[in-house]
Amino acid sequence: MFASVIVSVSSNSVDRLFTYKIPDSLVDTIRVGHRVFIPFGNRDIQGFVIDITETTEFDISKVKEINRIMDGTPVLTKELIQLSKKIATYYIDRQISVIEAILPVALKAKTKTILKLSETAGSNATELFDELQKNNEIVVSNLDKNHLKSIIPFMKSGEFVEETIVAQHTKKKTNRAVRSLNTNRMPSERAVKQRELLEWIESEAEPVTLLSIKDAGYSVQVIDALEKRGLVERVDIVVDRDPYESRVFFEAERHTLNKEQQVAFNKIEYSMKQYKHETFLLHGVTGSGKTEVYLEAIESALEAGKDAIMLVPEIALTPQMVNRFKARFGDYVAVLHSALSHGEKYDEWRKIKEGRARISIGARSSIFAPFKNVGVIIIDEEHESTYKQGERPLYDARQVAKWRAEYFNCPLILGSATPSLESYARSEKGVFTRLELKHRAKAQPLPETTIVDMALSRQEGNISIVSDILREKIIDRIQKEEQIILLLNRRGYAHFLLCQDCGHVPMCPNCDISLTYHKSNGTLMCHYCAYETSVPNKCPECQSSSITFRGSGTEKVEEILRDMFNTEVVRMDIDTTRNKGKHETLLMHFEDENIPILLGTQMIAKGLDFPNVTLVGVLNADTTLNIPDFRANERTFQLLTQVAGRAGRGDKTGEVIFQTYNPDHYSILDAQMNRYKEFYMKEMEYRRIARYSPYFFHVLFIITSENLEHCVKASHDISKILLENISNQSIVIGPSPSPIERINNRFRFQILLKYRHEPTLKDILEQLDQRYYVAYKKSGVSLRIDVDPQFIM
């Protein structure tokens, strides 16, 4: 038998399958998806078994053997292996890079698989274990072929239990526990506590933790006495790291679907019962109860014996979503997102792989949850750009979800109040099935929205970031003990430092961008390369003391709000949520303590549901409007509509204030009136004329180098290759300097390719990728190929 193996070396030169002979002793053991140690050159490295065949076209005498396997069971399913190849081909990347993105970080670290003796082991298993064990465990990778073959029957019978030990902080978590030695002896009748405790321990199928014993009122001395008499022993038991172990989830009250929700669910359920892949666009206004439809769809999948994947765009949304899902489905829910530690994420992944969890909830990377029988995939807020990976592999979770749904013949549900133009256009053409929720679930009215012209406000003498109208509304809500959400999509204290005498603005030495002032640590900071420097007392150029801060970020506005309203403010941005668990802590503090104001960046704009929030204010509605990107209008409309939907979700009427210097822009006016279809028609006409998505597909080429001349030369070279190989129906824009021309001391040029149909495009992209992989080693010129980019900056 022979195995096709992909090696864990991130290099284009070895981005292919290598053939290895499977030793006779491993023929019945090795499966597709196993991690293995293989001889490669003059060293042993890790690889993944991609395929197994009975014969090979190579000279058998020259085919090397697999040394050993790393795990008792495969870490990849056949479906995930196929998926990794599809992603690598579509997004122009190496398959091994995709595989490493699919697996948790813990499996990329140094690991070892060990075997432990189970309590049900017989004499033969015990004898073999005693022969092979060291420190009461057997390390699988240390076994020779004969020993490995001999343990397989005991693994299948469950007498040997497999565990994966991960180096450093990703080791399995253990708790100290006590188990009975089953001697059939009991303490004397006078030792009442000892007898009670021993009877309890013997009645349990698993060892009882010391913590549970102490909580039940038994002292350490009682345990010591039983141990001294040889009746019990202390052991370590493996427990899952549960990020929600301190939380109690009460069973949620079931909501009856309203008419719109029921119609939507019936169509999804019919597709599920037909084992038919269908993509549904669930277009519902904010507060229309899309999550209830998700819950019903997932329950239907579970009842059919299948599993479910649920994606959310932001970590900030995860706590509230987890609360609802845990309350409904309990321990069936696994959570996967970047805020978990490596160990917690690894344990959640294991729960899924071992079948102990049936539902995964998380951000982008949780689309790779290792389920083997998916019944439904749901992407909430499907329009969000965060579903696109920002570093290689540059996959889009929405496209990956579509491929997985096709493989499992199950529905894919894309939910949003403001769908992407691409998704809505596909629903217009019947490629997606559109389901509409036009009313809020509890029949609450949508909030009334007022637009405030900040240019006019300044002319009237108010130079504050808070307009007179918004200030009055905030005072009113504070007096009523209602809550307010304020959005400012810019963090830090001030945008930049300015010398009023010579006009000098401190710039990042590594990037072509001004430094942002952060008052909390008293530094000027670059938000691209994280460069920091102290704030100068005098202008570095003219030595003038007339330096001032310009612009306002969330840090400064928090200070203004505290002074203006003499009240507590919860601020949520990257700076306040860096530490683990801070998202949930801040949101719980805002809700449980009824804090009057929640101020934040776009992470607070969607998905949050606070019944006492009756006022939403957007302090600068133009922030995303002024970005040099063809999706700027769409993102502005989406952000404003989403954040407006946070108001009036309970029994009280909501109100929204948009502060802007562009009061007549259609993105803002249509968001004010919640007119999605009208906005869609206007924006589609602009996209048609400008020949952008969804009328054209895009590939963005970013060329970077520390040498400007090399960067320019490579950019023109790539442009020439494209023009020589594509049809005249496609459009090449550039090369031109990127909007931010230098980041981290690397100059940046870009080229945008617009196309409708280019049969040989993948070949061209692969050739360019290979060419500049070699060029990077020689001259340091790097090429990044972004297929279906979300940003063109």
Side-chain angles (χ1 to χ4, degrees), residues 561-658:
L561 294 172
R562 291 182 189 275
D563 292 341
M564 184 177 288
F565 301 108
N566 191 30
T567 190
E568 190 171 352
V569 178
V570 172
R571 172 164 64 95
M572 280 190 69
D573 54 30
I574 292 177
D575 299 317
T576 63
T577 57
R578 291 186 192 279
N579 295 334
K580 181 184 172 185
K582 285 298 289 184
H583 289 89
E584 185 170 14
T585 300
L586 291 171
L587 291 173
M588 288 178 63
H589 181 53
F590 175 67
E591 182 173 31
D592 296 346
E593 303 298 323
N594 201 40
I595 306 302
I597 299 174
L598 173 63
L599 167 70
T601 54
Q602 64 180 9
M603 65 174 63
I604 66 167
K606 49 198 169 288
L608 302 181
D609 191 346
F610 297 112
N612 199 36
V613 171
T614 59
L615 176 65
V616 166
V618 180
L619 299 179
N620 186 352
D622 311 321
T623 305
T624 51
L625 196 62
N626 298 321
I627 294 173
D629 192 289
F630 76 90
R631 287 193 173 95
N633 296 339
E634 181 183 10
R635 290 202 175 97
T636 298
F637 174 82
Q638 290 167 340
L639 183 63
L640 296 181
T641 304
Q642 292 287 341
V643 74
R646 301 315 105 204
R649 297 175 74 91
D651 298 329
K652 302 169 186 175
T653 304
E655 193 171 357
V656 180
I657 305 291
F658 291 161

Side-chain angles (χ1 to χ4, degrees), residues 273-470:
K273 288 182 176 178
Q274 296 296 311
Y275 301 103
K276 172 187 172 186
H277 166 63
E278 190 171 358
T279 299
F280 294 95
L281 177 61
L282 185 59
H283 181 207
V285 299
T286 54
S288 59
K290 294 184 286 294
T291 304
E292 284 301 321
V293 179
Y294 302 156
L295 290 166
E296 290 295 324
I298 289 172
E299 184 159 297
S300 183
L302 297 187
E303 289 173 353
K306 298 190 174 186
D307 307 310
I309 297 173
M310 171 86 189
L311 300 189
V312 294
E314 297 266 8
I315 296 170
L317 297 185
T318 312
Q320 285 201 333
M321 194 66 77
V322 168
N323 290 345
R324 294 189 68 173
F325 276 67
K326 286 270 192 183
R328 179 80 167 256
F329 301 113
D331 291 338
Y332 277 157
V333 178
V335 183
L336 295 168
H337 58 71
S338 60
L340 302 181
S341 69
H342 292 326
E344 287 171 339
K345 191 181 290 186
Y346 173 61
D347 285 350
E348 294 293 286
W349 179 85
R350 277 197 308 120
K351 281 168 61 177
I352 295 170
K353 185 174 178 290
E354 294 168 7
R356 293 181 286 124
R358 304 276 306 282
I359 305 162
S360 76
I361 300 176
R364 180 177 58 239
S365 62
S366 61
I367 190 57
F368 299 122
F371 290 118
K372 296 177 182 176
N373 191 16
V374 178
V376 66
I377 301 175
I378 300 165
I379 302 182
D380 192 32
E381 311 293 1
E382 68 86 27
H383 62 278
E384 282 293 327
S385 60
T386 51
Y387 287 121
K388 181 70 187 280
Q389 173 85 344
E391 55 191 34
R392 296 185 70 161
L394 298 167
Y395 69 88
D396 191 316
R398 288 160 292 205
Q399 180 61 55
V400 177
K402 183 174 182 296
W403 287 329
R404 294 201 78 181
E406 287 172 351
Y407 180 90
F408 289 108
N409 286 317
C410 72
L412 168 62
I413 305 172
L414 308 175
S416 178
T418 55
S420 65
L421 261 67
E422 289 83 356
S423 292
Y424 199 85
R426 290 185 179 115
S427 75
E428 288 281 87
K429 290 194 170 186
V431 179
F432 294 172
T433 302
R434 189 164 72 240
L435 309 172
E436 299 274 7
L437 302 178
K438 298 181 179 180
H439 305 91
R440 285 191 156 184
K442 298 178 183 177
Q444 313 102 309
L446 289 168
E448 182 180 332
T449 302
T450 302
I451 294 177
V452 177
D453 186 343
M454 292 302 284
L456 186 60
S457 179
R458 290 182 72 86
Q459 290 172 16
E460 293 172 351
N462 183 358
I463 60 173
S464 170
I465 195 168
V466 181
S467 64
D468 293 336
I469 295 173
L470 181 57

Side-chain angles (χ1 to χ4, degrees), residues 607-779:
L608 302 181
D609 191 346
F610 297 112
N612 199 36
V613 171
T614 59
L615 176 65
V616 166
V618 180
L619 299 179
N620 186 352
D622 311 321
T623 305
T624 51
L625 196 62
N626 298 321
I627 294 173
D629 192 289
F630 76 90
R631 287 193 173 95
N633 296 339
E634 181 183 10
R635 290 202 175 97
T636 298
F637 174 82
Q638 290 167 340
L639 183 63
L640 296 181
T641 304
Q642 292 287 341
V643 74
R646 301 315 105 204
R649 297 175 74 91
D651 298 329
K652 302 169 186 175
T653 304
E655 193 171 357
V656 180
I657 305 291
F658 291 161
Q659 296 185 166
T660 177
Y661 287 93
N662 293 278
D664 298 324
H665 196 284
Y666 66 89
S667 295
I668 296 172
L669 291 172
D670 286 337
Q672 177 194 23
M673 304 305 295
N674 199 49
R675 298 184 301 220
Y676 177 84
K677 191 63 180 286
E678 287 82 351
F679 170 79
Y680 168 81
M681 297 299 290
K682 295 168 192 168
E683 189 67 11
M684 283 291 282
E685 179 62 13
Y686 155 67
R687 299 280 183 91
R688 184 187 67 79
I689 294 170
R691 293 185 287 192
Y692 280 115
S693 175
Y695 292 100
F696 280 73
F697 297 106
H698 305 309
V699 179
L700 181 65
F701 301 85
I702 301 288
I703 305 97
T704 68
S705 174
E706 292 183 358
N707 183 297
L708 178 58
E709 184 180 343
H710 290 171
C711 194
V712 173
K713 186 176 182 299
S715 300
H716 285 285
D717 174 55
I718 293 165
S719 176
K720 182 182 177 183
I721 291 172
L722 289 173
L723 290 170
E724 288 174 349
N725 289 279
I726 62 172
S727 67
N728 57 12
Q729 301 299 310
S730 297
I731 303 163
V732 175
I733 299 177
S736 60
S738 297
I740 300 176
E741 191 171 339
R742 187 173 57 102
I743 293 179
N744 246 337
N745 281 320
R746 294 185 67 85
F747 293 96
R748 306 169 73 245
F749 273 63
Q750 66 184 47
I751 300 167
L752 181 65
L753 170 65
K754 303 180 186 181
Y755 70 98
R756 281 182 172 165
H757 183 64
E758 289 289 344
T760 63
L761 181 60
K762 294 299 177 190
D763 293 335
I764 298 168
L765 298 183
E766 286 174 1
Q767 289 169 17
L768 282 170
D769 184 58
Q770 179 62 38
R771 178 170 179 157
Y772 280 90
Y773 171 79
V774 175
Y776 180 74
K777 291 184 174 181
K778 291 182 178 179
S779 62

Side-chain angles (χ1 to χ4, degrees), residues 165-176:
I165 303 298
V166 188
Q168 300 171 355
H169 53 290
T170 48
K171 288 182 179 178
K172 287 189 177 181
K173 182 180 178 182
T174 59
N175 279 351
R176 202 70 171 149

Side-chain angles (χ1 to χ4, degrees), residues 29 31 34 69-74 113 115 140 152 155 162 164:
T29 306
R31 296 287 178 267
H34 258 126
I69 60 174
M70 295 181 67
D71 313 282
T73 55
T113 299
L115 299 176
V140 175
I152 296 300
M155 289 182 65
E162 179 186 78
T164 301

Side-chain angles (χ1 to χ4, degrees), residues 255-269:
H255 296 285
T256 302
L257 299 182
N258 62 30
K259 186 177 180 181
E260 285 185 330
Q261 291 171 326
Q262 190 66 52
V263 169
F265 169 66
N266 288 345
K267 291 183 178 180
I268 295 167
E269 186 181 40

Side-chain angles (χ1 to χ4, degrees), residues 61 270 425 527 708:
S61 64
Y270 178 77
H527 289 172
L708 178 58

